Amino acid sequence: MKSEFTLKLERCKGCGICVAFCPKQVLALDKLGKVYVADQEKCIACGQCELRCPDYAIFVDKVKEEKK
Amino acid sequence: MIERSYETYFRQNRLPHLWCPGCGNGIAMKAIVQAIEKKGWSQDNTVIVSGIGCSSRASGYMDFDTLHTAHGRAIPFATGVKMANPNLNVVVITGDGDCTAIGGNHFIHGCRRNIDLTVILFNNNIYGMTGGQASPMTPLGKKATTAPYGSIDRPFDACKLAEAAGATYVARSTAFHVQHLVKMISDGMDNKGFSFIEALVQCPTAYGRRNKIGEPAKMMAWMRDNAVMKNAWDKLTDDKKIGEKFPIGLFYKAEEETYNESYKHVRELANH
Amino acid sequence: MSASLMQGNEAVAEGALAAGVRFFGGYPITPSTEIAETMAKLLPKVGGTFIQMEDEIASMGVILGASLAGKKVLTASSGPGISLKQELIGYAAEAEIPAVIVNVQRVGPSTGQPTAPSQGDVMQARWGTHGDHSIIALSPWSVRESFNLTVKAVNLAEKYRTPVILLMDEIVGHLRENVELPTAEELEIFPRRTPKKSRAEGYQPYEPDEDLVPNVANFGEGYRIHVTGLIHDETGFPVGSPKVTENLIRRIHEKISLADDIIEVEEILMDDAEFAVVAFGGTARTAYEAVKACREKGLKVGFLRLVTIFPFADKIIYELAGKVKGIVMAELNFGQLVGEVRRAANGQCPVKLCAKYDMTIFEPEEIIASIEELINEVNGI
């Protein structure tokens, strides 16, 4: 499953909830404490990060393979 | 990306919100607007009423008619709104201190009247806005700035309190169980009468840190590991209901006349 | 309407209905309870709502919620209850919510003498809630005026979007008089203010109109407003700015201090008066008798009755003090509003306090004695 992330970094407070609940270790916090996508390929588009983000800063959409 | 539909229920120019990193209030606030969206309530016909405290700042971010009242007083204000204009959907956002300490009397009497409100209590077990004082829902033994040796005050179970006082819908969920929380809230909105939903939310800053529970995700993992769905909870024998385990789900539901309906009879009798 | 015998408290309820009040929230307390009882009976007959709340704070909260949802609202209480209501009277001042609060005064402090009259809450009416705020307080002296001033109180609350205190006392609240109430056509009723712009035109709920009063929309009308007890700007949202703070506090004072239709006094036998008695509410009834008795004795004494207590009639009292040789201030307390009279008189003439706080009402002789003492003092006898 391919996925596409949208990050609204002006909202991210770097709490780490998305990083902790990602089952595939796709996400990480950068040196300034904001979320970034460390390993996009591993993402299964489960949406756990978006579901529990208290700041509405991370969004993940499934991308259909045939589109590419 | 297609913009998420729930974003239309937020006042975009007020975001990001003021809550601390990892605070569960943002999750609970999103759950409320998703429940409203699910119900199809109009933003022009829904009023959000809140008290004072971290939880109660939510009203300012929500794009409805919103009323940020005084400490503990959200339910009386909301009662006035609903009685004055019964066509409005009225949602109350409150906190554990706001609802069960300074607003405790209003809470039980709102339940007793079965006034048609949906009340969501963001329970973070602490007074967060003022820096971490013990609330009536701080668990025994947990530390707060005003309980530096651990709280000795036995806490309220707000759900039991609501049920005993006459609420006709009582449920609990957590910031970890987001979809469940949305369902508990929207089911509460379906109920005609006083609906009470306790949403357990993490306060990493004023509660978690002092009690060495760890970062926000650890507090949410605690919810995951200790919350037991009502059906499963009921099957547990008492010796299994140990440690910090607690039930979530729908606890009580009843059909009773709402206060607005009852007052219609008063008007009929007065004009008889 | 034909003449009927009624109590001051009942006249308040009748006045409220005539002024368009359709929502009452209350809590039982002597000596104001008849207002709640009358509203409980009459409001459902006219499609209104009466609700007995769990406490005094809740009955204040419920009327503010109802006011924001578009109803004209009233609550009534007495000393101990008014103390509890102060929290949300401040909220109404800050968030500019129209509401009328009736205080049928009894002897305090604390539980005091629950069935006995007093005017001991007069300065509480001005400064009862915390913080800088303006207030309007009116005090009737008769049953008929209880009706009139309730109508005026509701009108002023709506016009200036402010809490208005109707400062009754047990004397007038429980007084029974034969009154003929005016018909609806004879009354001027101020309607709820409405927005002058749409959302698309940039409507801001707390943008002041020319009279400094904002046209705050009712809930449910599609304006999606935010109301808060925090200091806020014209949008209604809280702002931590010194300028916004200063502007809001100044505006909620000036909308009332600059108005010209709030202050009302009644002057009797003042044309040739050398001395004046100032009084208000139930005490004014005795003071009036005392002034008439002085006239019969040939003393040139006049009477000034304060109908509006706050904003205080500074200019009128200043002019009075410049005209007469001395003033007697009669009030049923240890001496409260006399401070305002002295401040306004600004040393132009002596202001003598005639105070009583023994749970009984004034006898005319007590006020006459004060007047004679003052005349003797001024004349150096």
Side-chain angles (χ1 to χ4, degrees), chain C residues 184-219:
Chain C
E185 296 74 42
E186 291 172 275
L187 294 172
E188 217 172 298
I189 303 299
F190 195 90
R192 175 60 53 93
R193 299 176 76 107
T194 52
K196 290 182 174 172
K197 282 182 193 167
S198 67
R199 278 187 92 192
E201 289 164 336
Y203 170 72
Q204 299 293 359
Y206 285 91
E207 182 186 345
D209 207 330
E210 282 165 11
D211 59 357
L212 303 180
V213 184
N215 299 307
V216 182
N218 296 326
F219 285 167

Side-chain angles (χ1 to χ4, degrees), chain A residues 2-68:
Chain A
K2 287 278 176 193
S3 65
E4 182 184 79
F5 282 96
T6 306
L7 302 177
K8 293 188 180 175
L9 288 178
E10 71 281 7
R11 291 180 179 181
C12 177
K13 293 170 186 163
C15 67
I17 289 173
C18 58
V19 176
F21 287 108
C22 175
K24 298 290 177 186
Q25 289 82 48
V26 173
L27 304 167
L29 297 183
D30 67 17
K31 286 202 168 70
L32 296 173
K34 299 254 182 182
V35 66
Y36 74 100
V37 182
D39 196 346
Q40 169 96 49
E41 287 305 306
K42 284 197 209 158
C43 178
I44 54 169
C46 66
Q48 295 289 307
C49 52
E50 177 175 341
L51 186 67
R52 298 198 181 83
C53 174
D55 295 288
Y56 333 126
I58 185 164
F59 305 87
V60 58
D61 287 296
K62 289 173 187 168
V63 178
K64 283 182 184 156
E65 305 273 0
E66 56 266 36
K67 261 190 172 175
K68 295 214 164 173

Side-chain angles (χ1 to χ4, degrees), chain B residues 8 11 14 42-45 47 49-50 52 57 59-61 63-71 73 75-85 88 102 105-107 109-110 112-113 115 259 263 266-268 270-271, chain C residues 23 39-41 43-55 57-71 87-88 91 97 199 218-230 235 237-238:
Chain B
T8 60
R11 288 169 169 143
R14 311 298 309 174
S42 157
Q43 282 166 277
D44 294 335
N45 204 40
V47 182
V49 185
S50 63
I52 291 290
R57 293 305 284 264
S59 57
Y61 304 113
D63 196 13
F64 303 86
D65 281 319
T66 53
L67 175 54
H68 179 228
T69 68
H71 199 19
R73 317 302 174 209
I75 290 172
F77 275 79
T79 300
V81 172
K82 186 70 188 178
M83 290 301 286
N85 185 352
L88 296 172
I102 193 162
N105 199 30
H106 311 311
F107 175 43
H109 286 273
R112 175 176 71 90
R113 289 187 190 100
I115 177 92
Y259 199 74
Y263 201 75
V266 172
R267 285 195 187 136
E268 283 159 16
N271 285 301
Chain C
F23 197 101
M39 292 304 253
K41 199 161 47 174
L43 270 172
K45 287 180 190 285
V46 295
T49 305
F50 167 88
I51 185 167
Q52 181 174 326
M53 294 300 283
E54 57 272 16
D55 61 36
I57 302 172
S59 52
M60 199 56 217
V62 80
I63 66 163
L64 296 185
S67 183
L68 287 165
K71 300 291 181 202
E87 169 190 298
L88 296 183
Y91 189 94
I97 305 172
R199 278 187 92 192
N218 296 326
F219 285 167
E221 293 179 347
Y223 288 91
R224 298 187 202 167
I225 64 167
H226 184 61
V227 176
T228 178
L230 288 164
T235 66
F237 288 94

Side-chain angles (χ1 to χ4, degrees), chain C residues 329-343:
Chain C
M329 175 67 200
E331 53 184 328
L332 210 56
N333 55 44
F334 196 75
Q336 293 193 17
L337 203 60
V338 66
E340 291 295 281
V341 175
R342 284 186 179 135
R343 181 183 55 74

